[in-house]
Each structure stands twice: as structure tokens, then as C-alpha cells.
Amino acid sequence: MFLPLSAFRQPHRVTPVARNIEYAGTPENRGARLPVVVWVHGGGWRAGSKDKPRCLSLVREGYAIVAINYRLSGEATFPSQIYDVKAAIRWVRANAKQYGFDPERIAVFGASAGGHLAALAGTSGGVKELEGSLGNAEESSRVQAVVDWFGPTDFLQMGKHLNAALLWSVRARSVRSRNSFTMSSRPETPFRP
């Protein structure tokens, strides 16, 4: 996959994607090492793909984008997903020189379930129980920035909302029958909920 030249503000030599890494130019013509954004897809932990990273526009701002997959919930239970994310971060650090990355400027960006994993990766650097044993164990999985794009951060709160939603669906008919707005015999009556 190649990025079209029009994707960049200034003319750069376009580099082919290597392992789903997208960036402009090569280390030789860029000079400085690039900060990296590790993209973590959403999909409710049960679906999704790294194929269309939503942060690809950051390439124009001078970032390298490394899009990753993680084991989905049908393949493995938690904490396998965070192990995979942290292994990818360690891979970025271990391969920084080869790909022209700055190993001290790594961000993780995720949407929905990926946002949850990004937030967890950002808040649990060095937490042994969440590191796993996959690849490049000598490297740190700490990141310098996190973007959690609408990912859950408090499952206890989610449970409260989920329980309310389940209660609503179970009791919808009885609730509707007691709701003064839906059961009004005069729909033209001004009503402000």
C-alpha cells in the first residue's frame, strides 16, 4: 500500500507500508526520528481490524502510524488483548532504529474497545500482571501519550448503565403504560419533558 503524494503537505518521497507502518519519506531524507502513534482498532473486543486506522491523517503532521491487531474475545480472554497491545509497543521500541522511530515519543490511540486498551496501556506501564510475555520483554511498554476516543474507562459505571438499559427493555411495556407522556389521551397538550 502506498500513500498518494497528495496526502502530504510538502513533497516527500512516499515509502511503502512495512508491517502496516505508514509514514512519509525515509529516515535518510527526514532527518529526525519520527514520533509514533500505535493505532488500536475498536469492535467491542470481538471484531474489528487494523486495516483502516482512523488516525492516518497524522502522517501529514509528521507521525509514523503503526496499526495493530489484537486477539479478539472469541480467540482469547482478557488480559490477552492488553498483552498484545503492549507487545506491539515493545516491538516499536525494539525496531525504532530500523524504521526511523523515536523510541521516546510513542503514543497509543484507540477507538471504542481500542480506546479502552489504549487507556489501559497508558495507565499500566510497568504493571507486571498486564505486561504478558510476548516479544521484546527487555523493552518498556510505557507510552508518552494516550488518545482514548470514546473508549470505556470505568466498567463499574458501564454496568450501572447496562443494568438500567436491561431493566428498561424488560419493563418497557409496563413503564410505557405508566408514562404520562406516552399515554396522554390528548397528544396536542403542550408537554415539555
Side-chain angles (χ1 to χ4, degrees):
M1 176 176 175
F2 292 92
L3 292 176
L5 232 44
S6 61
F8 306 102
R9 273 194 271 171
Q10 299 178 10
H12 292 285
R13 196 171 111 209
V14 177
T15 303
V17 174
R19 284 192 169 196
N20 286 10
I21 302 165
E22 305 223 17
Y23 52 93
T26 62
E28 300 81 44
N29 69 9
R30 274 194 317 266
R33 295 189 174 273
L34 291 177
V36 180
V37 175
V38 176
W39 167 254
V40 187
H41 68 81
W45 303 276
R46 60 183 168 71
S49 169
K50 65 184 178 181
D51 291 341
K52 295 182 181 176
R54 299 223 174 150
C55 60
L56 200 53
S57 64
L58 291 173
V59 169
R60 290 187 300 255
E61 305 300 323
Y63 293 86
I65 308 298
V66 179
I68 67 166
N69 275 329
Y70 53 88
R71 287 173 283 173
L72 303 174
S73 60
E75 302 170 63
T77 58
F78 185 84
S80 298
Q81 295 76 18
I82 192 64
Y83 291 170
D84 295 349
V85 171
K86 289 186 169 207
I89 294 165
R90 291 191 298 268
W91 180 91
V92 166
R93 265 207 179 83
N95 291 279
K97 186 173 183 179
Q98 177 182 351
Y99 289 100
F101 301 153
D102 184 339
E104 300 305 316
R105 295 191 300 164
I106 300 173
V108 61
F109 185 150
S112 190
H116 160 256
L117 293 170
L120 187 57
T123 58
S124 65
V127 176
K128 189 173 175 83
E129 302 87 83
L130 296 177
E131 290 297 320
S133 59
L134 301 172
N136 303 297
E138 70 284 357
E139 299 291 344
S140 171
S141 67
R142 291 185 187 272
V143 295
Q144 288 66 51
V146 172
V147 178
D148 176 356
W149 190 20
F150 65 92
T153 57
D154 187 342
F155 285 102
L156 295 175
Q157 290 298 318
M158 278 182 65
K160 289 177 186 176
H161 298 293
L162 178 61
N163 289 339
L166 288 174
L167 178 63
W168 174 257
S169 67
V170 169
R171 297 188 178 178
R173 185 170 292 140
S174 64
V175 169
R176 201 172 291 116
S177 68
R178 289 171 176 81
N179 186 326
S180 62
F181 182 72
T182 57
M183 296 306 290
S184 172
S185 61
R186 296 184 57 207
E188 72 278 3
T189 305
F191 186 88
R192 177 176 255 153

